[in-house]
Amino acid sequence: MKHNIAHTLDICLYKIFNQIMMISHESGEFNWDQTKSLYQDLLVVFDKVVLPTYNIHHVPFVMFFLCSLKPTIAEAFLNFLWRKVCNPNVPSIHRHSAVSYMASLVARASFVPLYMLKGTLQEMANWIFAYMATQDGHGCINTDIRIHVVFYSVCQALFYIIAFRYKDLVNKRKDVIFLENLNLGKIVTSTLNPLRVCQPAIVQNFASVARTYQLAYCYAVIEHNSRNIMPVIYQDDKGSVLISNNILDSFFPFDPLVLKRSKEIIEPIYLYYKSNAENAADDYDMVEKDDFLLYGTSPGFKHRN
């Protein structure tokens, strides 16, 4: 471990993981009452400290590990995050963070069952269509990311989860039908144009999956967007002129853990992106090479040239 701070954080997380196990498995057996109480206490800390902290990494794995102890906890945590996303009284930046936590957890957690995965996708799709319906009456839709940041965040989360977990969603015909019924083509061709705003790596991997299983054809939209890239120029509250590329920030709190000790505990319950054996190795190699202070901005996909 090259970084002293990383080494200290690693030891702290390792001890916290073990403490969680001691509390939840008193006398060697799972204790639901104590685990539920621990979850409620940690959720308060998460809500007040972790969620509002921009671009935080590694520490959120405390909640990741806690969710792995029982599906009920994972479901409760996802419901908590989704209520944040749907609450218009919550600041947009916190709603964006909440849906990023949802996407990262559902994509990366091997303990999230299929019914929970599908339920999350359905909730997101329903919300997206409801939001799109509110914009239908407008003659000219402003696609400025600042105005529709929550919409674009939910779209990116939906695309990310499908691109990451698609293999779990195509094993049976009924699951493929479920994906078809999400009506992804309508989202992709929406006048709000989410493919233009979402992270390119996510867009490319989602487009590949969508084409393979005939869920939506994204490449015409992607090509159109590539020919119509224009920066957005605006003034902030202080009057400073800012230039934006109008691409949504990527925040994936459960990107692969790079801390040596605590990683050993997380590894058995963790999923890496796998489109094939070669890509899986690339994903792992990327984790090893990432700098500790810069790590966590990648969605975990192999970028294509």
Side-chain angles (χ1 to χ4, degrees):
M1 188 70 69
K2 297 179 181 179
H3 301 273
N4 290 332
I5 295 177
H7 177 70
T8 303
L9 177 60
D10 190 14
I11 293 174
C12 289
L13 280 178
Y14 185 82
K15 288 183 176 294
I16 290 173
F17 292 155
N18 281 286
Q19 187 66 26
I20 290 174
M21 284 299 295
M22 288 178 60
I23 294 173
S24 61
H25 289 77
E26 190 178 34
S27 303
E29 295 184 0
F30 182 74
N31 188 316
W32 169 237
D33 289 335
Q34 288 195 183
T35 305
K36 182 170 64 174
S37 177
L38 177 63
Y39 165 74
Q40 292 169 345
D41 290 340
L42 289 178
L43 189 64
V44 173
V45 178
F46 175 85
D47 188 25
K48 294 183 180 298
V49 180
V50 179
L51 183 63
T53 303
Y54 177 72
N55 216 23
I56 187 172
H57 300 288
H58 304 302
V59 173
F61 273 96
V62 172
M63 294 303 297
F64 187 96
F65 180 69
L66 185 59
C67 287
S68 72
L69 299 180
K70 191 175 179 66
T72 305
I73 299 177
E75 191 166 8
F77 186 52
L78 287 172
N79 287 336
F80 163 80
L81 292 169
W82 186 240
R83 287 194 296 271
K84 288 278 186 185
V85 176
C86 297
N87 187 351
N89 296 319
V90 174
S92 295
I93 187 64
H94 293 172
R95 297 170 74 187
H96 168 64
S97 294
V99 78
S100 297
Y101 272 95
M102 290 183 69
S104 199
L105 178 66
V106 173
R108 294 290 191 175
S110 63
F111 52 83
V112 170
L114 183 61
Y115 79 86
M116 207 177 296
L117 167 62
K118 293 168 69 174
T120 301
L121 292 175
Q122 190 66 66
E123 288 283 357
M124 289 181 175
N126 291 345
W127 187 92
I128 289 169
F129 284 118
Y131 188 92
M132 287 165 52
T134 66
Q135 305 297 312
D136 286 345
H138 300 174
C140 181
I141 295 180
N142 188 341
T143 59
D144 189 339
I145 192 173
R146 294 171 298 161
I147 298 174
H148 306 289
V149 62
V150 179
F151 169 78
Y152 290 128
S153 298
V154 177
C155 287
Q156 178 164 277
L158 181 73
F159 299 157
Y160 178 79
I161 294 171
I162 291 174
F164 218 102
R165 295 289 301 268
Y166 75 93
K167 289 188 177 181
D168 295 315
L169 294 163
V170 296
N171 289 326
K172 297 180 180 179
R173 178 57 187 164
K174 66 177 183 179
D175 294 329
V176 176
I177 292 174
F178 165 79
L179 285 176
E180 293 172 348
N181 289 338
L182 291 179
N183 203 358
L184 298 170
K186 186 175 180 180
I187 298 174
V188 166
T189 57
S190 163
T191 51
L192 287 166
N193 197 358
L195 293 184
R196 181 181 59 81
V197 173
C198 295
Q199 284 289 318
I202 296 175
V203 170
Q204 289 295 333
N205 283 274
F206 168 75
S208 177
V209 172
R211 179 177 62 179
T212 300
Y213 297 98
Q214 299 181 349
L215 304 174
Y217 189 71
C218 306
Y219 290 104
V221 179
I222 294 173
E223 180 63 24
H224 176 269
N225 291 339
S226 68
R227 295 196 303 265
N228 293 274
I229 299 176
M230 294 185 65
V232 176
I233 303 174
Y234 61 94
Q235 283 187 326
D236 63 10
D237 295 336
K238 298 180 180 179
S240 301
V241 177
L242 303 175
I243 300 176
S244 170
N245 61 3
N246 224 30
I247 298 295
L248 192 66
D249 282 344
S250 62
F251 172 56
F252 301 95
F254 301 123
D255 267 359
L257 197 61
V258 297
L259 305 176
K260 187 176 180 180
R261 291 176 179 82
S262 47
K263 179 181 177 180
E264 293 176 357
I265 296 178
I266 295 298
E267 195 86 0
I269 55 175
Y270 193 81
L271 295 175
Y272 289 96
Y273 177 67
K274 294 181 181 179
S275 60
N276 54 51
E278 180 182 354
N279 278 14
D282 289 338
D283 189 43
Y284 184 81
D285 289 342
M286 182 186 68
V287 176
E288 297 299 315
K289 295 175 183 177
D290 264 313
D291 184 88
F292 171 72
L293 296 177
L294 298 178
Y295 184 72
T297 58
S298 166
F301 297 121
K302 178 182 178 182
H303 287 262
R304 299 175 181 178
N305 296 324

